[in-house]
Amino acid sequence: MVNVHIDPAFDDAERRRRIYAGDVVVYSSVPEIAAFAEFTRGMITELFAPHDPISIQDVYSPEELADILIDFKPRWIHDPRSMEHVRDIVRALGGDPERIHADVPKLRTAFPQGGLSTGIAYAFQAHRDTWYGAPPQQVNWWMPVWPVAEDNIMEFYPRGFGMHVENNSGDYNYYVANAWRGRIKDFSGGMDVRVHPAPVDGIGPDEVRLTLVPPQGGVMLFSGDQLHASIPNTSGVTRYSIDFRVVHVDDVHAGVGAPMTDVACTGTALRDFKRLSDGAPFSEDEVAPYDVEGAAAVAGGVKEFVPTA
Ligand SMILES: [Fe+2]
């Protein structure tokens, strides 16, 4: 069973315990979330001015949008204000920045069906983030930038939590995938040939689906081990959303987290998580229990294959 908690009063420790058990937590109105969304709307509005960002797919071709976003998304991600917003949000909702590490936030763009859906705007099929190297402690925070609706958001498959779902995560190596990031333009046309872990049998028409629609200024938190997907966007407007991922140091040390019943990928994303208070990474000793011996060496070798062109 998946419980959905709306504006709960419990603290961060209790929240993590419930999220690792498959619950989803929604906060409907948080000033710090609204501030991050407003900051992001400002940057996107400036980027596309004088056009309306939510109908930008009518102005530019998929190829032009790919070029614009390949330039823009890293600029937004690495703007120091983005990480400051992440820290403010986590603190506002009871998280301790001294004990919590976060990965850089991601900006997602989901264009209406038929538009750009590969590479820089990849429309994720059903997956667990843990099939992509996410650690068992990963908590995802997902928030809309403009108002979203049930026809342009994401959905959960709650029956899949903690269950074995046949999948191809065994073909996925986190360090190889990191090398692909440098070639995102190669995958932003009709030929996204990267390995994307997914259920071998897909998601059946009878599957139980859960769609939560947080309002603008709201957020939903869920385990990286949840089975979920982007919904094909049939709304006619572009969806912009922000997500970021956090892990708690105490749980990383204790080995506490989500069940990860069917995860077979190689490598871990844990090195991407930096302490919110000062940006410190995990030590190799802290990462070692989550990594495969020798995988880091593979990572070093793989970087040589990143083309410079
Ligand atoms: Fe995901």
Side-chain angles (χ1 to χ4, degrees), residues 29 51 83 96 146 153 170 172 195 205 223-224 228 262:
S29 179
H51 309 293
M83 207 57 186
D96 178 359
W146 269 273
I153 189 170
Y172 187 84
V195 175
S223 167
H228 61 283
D262 53 12

Side-chain angles (χ1 to χ4, degrees), residues 108 124 127-129 132 140 154 222 224 226 228-229 243:
R108 312 287 178 184
F124 277 90
H127 68 282
R128 306 185 197 278
D129 290 12
Y132 284 80
N140 293 11
M154 50 165 285
F222 56 96
Q226 286 281 0
H228 61 283
D243 50 272

Side-chain angles (χ1 to χ4, degrees), residues 16 20 99-101 135-138 246-257 268 270 273 282-283 285-290:
R16 292 185 336 258
Y20 298 159
R99 307 298 297 163
I100 292 174
H101 288 221
Q137 297 78 17
Q138 181 173 300
V246 308
V247 296
H248 196 286
V249 172
D250 294 355
D251 294 346
V252 170
H253 291 173
V256 174
T268 176
L270 207 48
F273 291 78
F282 283 108
S283 69
D285 284 348
E286 288 171 304
V287 173
Y290 299 94

Side-chain angles (χ1 to χ4, degrees), residues 5-61:
H5 306 273
I6 315 281
D7 296 324
F10 46 67
D11 66 8
D12 181 52
E14 175 70 6
R15 184 169 62 208
R16 292 185 336 258
R17 189 184 70 73
R18 290 176 184 261
I19 287 173
Y20 298 159
D23 289 2
V24 179
V25 178
V26 177
Y27 295 96
S28 60
S29 179
V30 181
E32 290 78 4
I33 300 275
F36 197 11
E38 187 184 346
F39 162 75
T40 305
R41 283 197 305 278
M43 279 185 79
I44 296 169
T45 301
E46 190 179 305
L47 176 72
F48 289 132
H51 309 293
D52 185 351
I54 68 165
S55 53
I56 201 65
Q57 73 283 350
D58 300 334
V59 177
Y60 295 112
S61 70

Side-chain angles (χ1 to χ4, degrees), residues 205-221:
D206 298 334
E207 185 58 60
V208 175
R209 295 156 192 265
L210 170 65
T211 304
L212 299 172
V213 188
Q216 196 177 313
V219 64
M220 58 182 165
L221 280 62

Side-chain angles (χ1 to χ4, degrees), residues 127-287:
H127 68 282
R128 306 185 197 278
D129 290 12
T130 47
W131 290 345
Y132 284 80
Q137 297 78 17
Q138 181 173 300
V139 174
N140 293 11
W141 298 54
W142 193 105
M143 66 200 74
V145 175
W146 269 273
V148 288
E150 70 280 3
D151 52 3
N152 67 5
I153 189 170
M154 50 165 285
E155 64 187 4
F156 298 99
Y157 310 103
R159 285 198 312 192
F161 190 83
M163 302 292 287
H164 185 94
V165 175
E166 207 60 39
N167 68 86
N168 64 330
S169 62
D171 297 337
Y172 187 84
N173 180 309
Y174 185 72
Y175 309 114
V176 172
N178 260 351
W180 290 334
R181 282 187 202 177
R183 299 174 50 199
I184 192 74
K185 192 166 167 49
D186 295 351
F187 304 115
S188 297
M191 49 197 185
D192 198 334
V193 295
R194 298 172 293 172
V195 175
H196 286 291
V200 169
D201 299 324
I203 296 290
D206 298 334
E207 185 58 60
V208 175
R209 295 156 192 265
L210 170 65
T211 304
L212 299 172
V213 188
Q216 196 177 313
V219 64
M220 58 182 165
L221 280 62
F222 56 96
S223 167
D225 207 28
Q226 286 281 0
L227 195 58
H228 61 283
S230 304
I231 292 174
N233 183 348
T234 55
S235 68
V237 298
T238 293
R239 179 254 287 175
Y240 298 86
S241 60
I242 296 169
D243 50 272
F244 63 85
R245 291 141 292 282
V246 308
V247 296
H248 196 286
V249 172
D250 294 355
D251 294 346
V252 170
H253 291 173
V256 174
M260 294 181 58
T261 41
D262 53 12
V263 177
C265 60
T266 301
T268 176
L270 207 48
R271 291 180 188 83
D272 298 342
F273 291 78
K274 307 290 161 52
R275 190 159 55 203
L276 278 172
S277 58
D278 62 0
F282 283 108
S283 69
E284 280 305 304
D285 284 348
E286 288 171 304
V287 173

